[in-house]
Amino acid sequence: MPPTRSRGRLSRDVVVHAAIELLDEHGERGLTFKLLTEKLQTGAGAVYWHVANKDELVTMATDQVIGTALAGLSAEPGTDAETRIRALALAVYDTLDLHTWAAPHVTAVHTMPHTMLLLERIGGLLAETQLPAGRHFAVATAIFIYLTSVTAQDAGRASAAAPGTTRDDLLRQEAQQWAALDPQTFPFVTGIAADLGNHDDRDQFLTGLDLLLDGLRSQVSATSDPAKDQVILAEGDTSRPHDADLARADMTERRRQIAGR
Amino acid sequence: MPPTRSRGRLSRDVVVHAAIELLDEHGERGLTFKLLTEKLQTGAGAVYWHVANKDELVTMATDQVIGTALAGLSAEPGTDAETRIRALALAVYDTLDLHTWAAPHVTAVHTMPHTMLLLERIGGLLAETQLPAGRHFAVATAIFIYLTSVTAQDAGRASAAAPGTTRDDLLRQEAQQWAALDPQTFPFVTGIAADLGNHDDRDQFLTGLDLLLDGLRSQVSATSDPAKDQVILAEGDTSRPHDADLARADMTERRRQIAGR
DNA sequence: ACCTGAACACCGTTCAAGT
DNA sequence: ACCTGAACACCGTTCAAGT
């Protein structure tokens, strides 16, 4: 792990790690150049010598967090690829849960090193399966996008809550709000208000991930020998051109309507 | 549609709609009280009389955008629930694509009126299916979370791009970066670099959504009569307790490691 | 009740000057 | 090459004063 000490020579790494500490402690709003320069015992210009601006600093801090999530993963050989994909996803989920400010910034798939490495890892696991190479791109990015975006959403919700309240408190509070709604206009929401109490974001994330993986598997069995049901992530047409194209035509029209309101 | 005129009486609605216009025009950074008060030809205090602060203003603007997405949807009776869920999701996707600043703020499921209405709509469509009531909560929130979070991710990526470049230009540029990577450390990413060129976020979104819906359907056929394959979104155990619990135990341990670094 | 607008506290960024 | 720290431009929010 790179140095976090404030004294001595400054470097990009030192600045980024100091930023991460401030972000963890005070959230995104808490990262100011005033606090940062105090922590590093230097001037603003010194920081700007190592990073272009605050945006770049937060982006690098985010990529660093992704890096620690990947570094914490052991190869665990012997287990199948799907299990390891799930473990990889959970490692990222849990790491971002500890750095809730980072999740919304995990968007630079195509540029940041550790973020690209994450996609590389997912792809490497897919390559171990019987998935045909032609579908590697679509499936890997589907998993990547689900993983990063749902994690960001959950983490954002977590960080939006008041610092004092626990998640359980918050959910119970919200469940009461749901139950108090007008059943006429919100028949569904009022009906499931009770279920909100024992809701768990992490379980939800896992469920959705499993649905994605199951969806991939089921499209196999639909088009191939049913006896091969155990085959993981094999071929199968994933999109439904007809419906999708129709819907797209609809929406392109709607897009115009909205834009020209 | 509420008044957007600047002259005359001020109101919450007028302020929110002026904010939306500024957000659409200049992005989240472009919404300043200076620009807002100029547009409304008033003072800062007047705005603060109607909204608590900037955060609340952006939240209300976001909820308003969700509202327009829902308002643009016709019931289209005669089509099945799954098709209408897909149409609903696409309407939200396309609307947020026009207001990219809004997507990351669609997190207040439990409080904002239109955001809750979105969940209510999804639930209402699920209620038309043969899905048992006990699974309504889990499935509705799974769809809701996929929809809002992936949309936010896509919109965020879109708004992060330089204003001048088109999406195609950006992708071609990024594909070149991928191809230029070291094939030793990035065998997978360099291999799929070519696929990035004709990638479409919206298609990707649809594909993932279909995978989710397919996953739900396949879990039916696994546990019930194969002849009922056409049954949409019926019962079936969605989680895999064994794997999930094991992974959870692993991760709880890892969580500690990371936290105590 | 609703609005005005000056004042305040704060923050990201720059830059001439140093070593 | 690397750092200092004052200065600048800007921004969200407040508040005493008006109507």
Side-chain angles (χ1 to χ4, degrees):
Chain A
M1 188 172 304
T4 322
R5 288 297 307 127
S6 47
R7 287 286 59 186
R9 208 148 193 77
L10 212 57
S11 75
R12 225 169 132 101
D13 251 28
V14 172
V15 173
V16 169
H17 280 268
I20 290 176
E21 283 182 29
L22 285 174
L23 286 163
D24 286 344
E25 203 173 344
H26 305 108
E28 184 142 9
R29 284 239 172 84
L31 176 62
T32 66
F33 277 81
K34 184 167 183 292
L35 280 178
L36 191 59
T37 50
E38 277 171 9
K39 192 182 192 66
L40 295 171
Q41 302 185 42
T42 183
V47 174
Y48 275 91
W49 178 260
H50 294 281
V51 302
N53 51 42
K54 193 181 176 182
D55 275 352
E56 190 193 279
L57 181 55
V58 172
T59 301
M60 290 192 305
T62 300
D63 197 61
Q64 183 60 42
V65 167
I66 295 289
T68 67
L70 294 178
L73 264 182
S74 58
E76 299 209 33
T79 54
D80 65 285
E82 194 173 348
T83 302
R84 289 163 67 197
I85 288 177
R86 197 179 285 109
L88 174 64
L90 278 174
V92 174
Y93 185 93
D94 287 329
T95 302
L96 286 176
D97 198 42
L98 295 170
H99 308 276
T100 53
W101 51 268
H105 297 280
V106 189
T107 52
V109 207
H110 313 112
T111 46
M112 296 305 288
H114 291 119
T115 310
M116 287 179 53
L117 191 58
L118 171 57
L119 181 60
E120 178 67 31
R121 288 283 165 85
I122 293 172
L125 290 171
L126 283 183
E128 293 180 19
T129 69
Q130 307 189 19
L131 188 73
R135 305 236 346 100
H136 278 179
F137 176 81
V139 174
T141 52
I143 293 172
F144 180 91
I145 285 176
Y146 176 81
L147 162 59
T148 56
S149 60
V150 174
T151 303
Q153 180 92 337
D154 285 356
R157 193 146 40 213
S159 67
T165 53
T166 71
R167 290 199 202 190
D168 284 354
D169 288 344
L170 193 70
L171 281 175
R172 215 168 295 123
Q173 214 172 305
E174 289 169 342
Q176 285 181 349
Q177 286 186 19
W178 279 16
L181 289 170
D182 176 26
Q184 295 281 16
T185 52
F186 289 98
F188 181 79
V189 170
T190 51
I192 61 170
D195 295 321
L196 186 63
N198 45 2
H199 170 73
D200 186 308
D201 279 344
R202 197 172 180 277
D203 285 343
Q204 178 89 329
F205 168 74
L206 252 186
T207 302
L209 183 65
D210 285 340
L211 282 180
L212 263 183
L213 298 174
D214 283 351
L216 292 167
R217 196 198 288 111
S218 86
Q219 286 168 341
V220 177
S221 30
T223 56
S224 67
D225 185 1
K228 281 195 194 169
D229 217 354
Q230 287 300 338
V231 172
I232 292 164
L233 299 178
E235 70 269 305
D237 192 11
T238 242
S239 66
R240 275 174 266 174
H242 319 298
D243 290 23
D245 286 355
L246 284 177
R248 165 176 287 269
D250 282 358
M251 286 307 133
T252 305
E253 179 51 35
R254 190 183 312 289
R255 228 189 261 243
R256 279 196 210 93
Q257 292 172 10
I258 296 169
R261 89 197 127 98
Chain B
M1 186 173 308
T4 323
R5 289 297 307 126
S6 48
R7 288 286 62 187
R9 207 146 192 79
L10 213 56
S11 76
R12 226 168 131 100
D13 251 28
V14 171
V15 172
V16 170
H17 279 269
I20 290 177
E21 283 181 28
L22 285 174
L23 287 162
D24 286 344
E25 203 173 346
H26 305 107
E28 184 142 9
R29 284 239 172 84
L31 176 63
T32 67
F33 277 83
K34 185 166 182 293
L35 280 178
L36 191 59
T37 50
E38 277 171 8
K39 193 183 193 64
L40 295 171
Q41 303 185 43
T42 182
V47 173
Y48 275 90
W49 178 261
H50 293 281
V51 302
N53 51 41
K54 191 180 176 182
D55 275 352
E56 190 192 279
L57 181 56
V58 173
T59 301
M60 291 192 304
T62 300
D63 197 60
Q64 182 60 44
V65 167
I66 296 289
T68 68
L70 294 178
L73 264 183
S74 57
E76 299 208 33
T79 54
D80 64 288
E82 193 173 348
T83 301
R84 287 163 66 197
I85 288 177
R86 198 178 286 110
L88 174 64
L90 279 175
V92 174
Y93 186 93
D94 287 328
T95 302
L96 286 175
D97 197 43
L98 296 169
H99 308 275
T100 53
W101 51 268
H105 297 279
V106 189
T107 52
V109 206
H110 313 113
T111 46
M112 297 306 287
H114 291 118
T115 310
M116 287 179 53
L117 190 59
L118 171 57
L119 181 60
E120 178 67 33
R121 288 284 165 84
I122 293 172
L125 290 171
L126 283 183
E128 294 181 17
T129 69
Q130 307 190 20
L131 188 74
R135 304 231 354 94
H136 278 179
F137 176 81
V139 173
T141 51
I143 294 172
F144 179 91
I145 286 176
Y146 175 82
L147 163 58
T148 55
S149 61
V150 173
T151 302
Q153 179 92 336
D154 285 356
R157 195 149 35 215
S159 67
T165 52
T166 70
R167 290 199 202 191
D168 285 354
D169 288 345
L170 193 71
L171 282 175
R172 215 168 294 123
Q173 214 172 305
E174 290 169 340
Q176 285 181 348
Q177 286 186 18
W178 278 18
L181 289 170
D182 176 26
Q184 296 280 15
T185 53
F186 289 99
F188 180 79
V189 171
T190 50
I192 61 170
D195 295 321
L196 186 63
N198 45 2
H199 171 73
D200 186 309
D201 279 343
R202 196 171 181 276
D203 285 343
Q204 179 88 328
F205 169 75
L206 251 186
T207 302
L209 183 65
D210 285 341
L211 282 180
L212 263 184
L213 297 175
D214 283 351
L216 291 167
R217 196 197 288 114
S218 85
Q219 285 168 342
V220 178
S221 30
T223 57
S224 67
D225 184 2
K228 283 197 194 165
D229 218 352
Q230 287 299 339
V231 173
I232 292 164
L233 300 177
E235 72 269 304
D237 191 13
T238 241
S239 65
R240 274 172 267 175
H242 320 297
D243 290 23
D245 285 356
L246 282 177
R248 165 177 287 269
D250 281 357
M251 287 308 134
T252 305
E253 179 51 35
R254 191 183 314 289
R255 227 188 263 243
R256 279 198 210 93
Q257 292 173 9
I258 296 170
R261 90 199 126 96

